[in-house]
Amino acid sequence: MWGILGWLLNFVLLMAVMGIVGFQLMNLTDLETDYINPYDSANQINAVVLPEYIILGLLCMSFLFTGHWFMCLLCVPCVYHNLRLYIQRQHLIDVTEIYNQMNREKQRRFFKLGYLVILLVMSIFWLLWTVGEEGD
């Protein structure tokens, strides 16, 4: 029973991070098509960067504490990348440079979204595996 609850908690955290990254991508796309001004776009993206980093860190710790070592090891590179960006103070988008950095920021977030989709598929697989084992 606890295994299933652990996987469900991880699933919820993964969906939260994917929603935040999707929100950031939508803001960058709206900025690219001139539906939103750079100041509002940068403020909205910067407001959710730290919650994204915190939730991803909680996801990695959740994998660790629930005993899913392989999934934790898959999360470590992304957490390290986020920590490195935060320490170097490169985690926020600058309003004055947002048009110059837009392609790089969109590529970074698309890569992160693809990475999270892979983690989600693996989590769903292991959740179903755990349900099958506990059902026997």
Side-chain angles (χ1 to χ4, degrees):
M1 180 67 177
W2 292 108
I4 295 172
L5 291 177
W7 282 115
L8 288 175
L9 171 69
N10 296 334
F11 178 77
V12 168
L13 290 173
L14 262 171
M15 292 305 294
V17 173
M18 287 178 67
I20 290 173
V21 173
F23 173 75
Q24 292 172 357
L25 277 170
M26 285 180 11
N27 268 328
L28 288 172
T29 304
D30 285 349
L31 178 66
E32 190 175 40
T33 57
D34 274 344
Y35 289 134
I36 191 170
N37 64 31
Y39 182 75
D40 290 339
S41 179
N43 280 340
Q44 290 176 358
I45 291 171
N46 289 340
V48 296
V49 168
L50 284 179
E52 172 200 346
Y53 288 3
I54 291 169
I55 293 172
L56 196 58
L58 287 173
L59 176 68
C60 188
M61 288 190 325
S62 173
F63 281 137
L64 182 67
F65 292 143
T66 56
H68 306 116
W69 313 111
F70 181 70
M71 296 297 287
C72 179
L73 287 175
L74 288 178
C75 278
V76 168
C78 193
V79 171
Y80 171 74
H81 175 72
N82 291 343
L83 186 63
R84 187 174 52 94
L85 286 177
Y86 183 77
I87 289 172
Q88 294 175 352
R89 296 199 173 273
Q90 296 177 352
H91 62 289
L92 298 177
I93 293 181
D94 185 16
V95 176
T96 59
E97 293 291 323
I98 195 166
Y99 284 112
N100 296 333
Q101 298 174 352
M102 188 172 0
N103 287 333
R104 183 173 50 94
E105 293 294 331
K106 280 179 69 176
Q107 286 177 352
R108 180 184 294 167
R109 283 165 176 81
F110 272 124
F111 181 77
K112 190 179 286 189
L113 190 63
Y115 173 77
L116 291 171
V117 165
I118 291 170
L119 283 178
L120 180 70
V121 168
M122 292 179 73
S123 291
I124 291 173
F125 171 78
W126 286 110
L127 171 66
L128 294 175
W129 186 278
T130 305
V131 167
E133 282 184 349
E134 289 187 8
D136 291 339

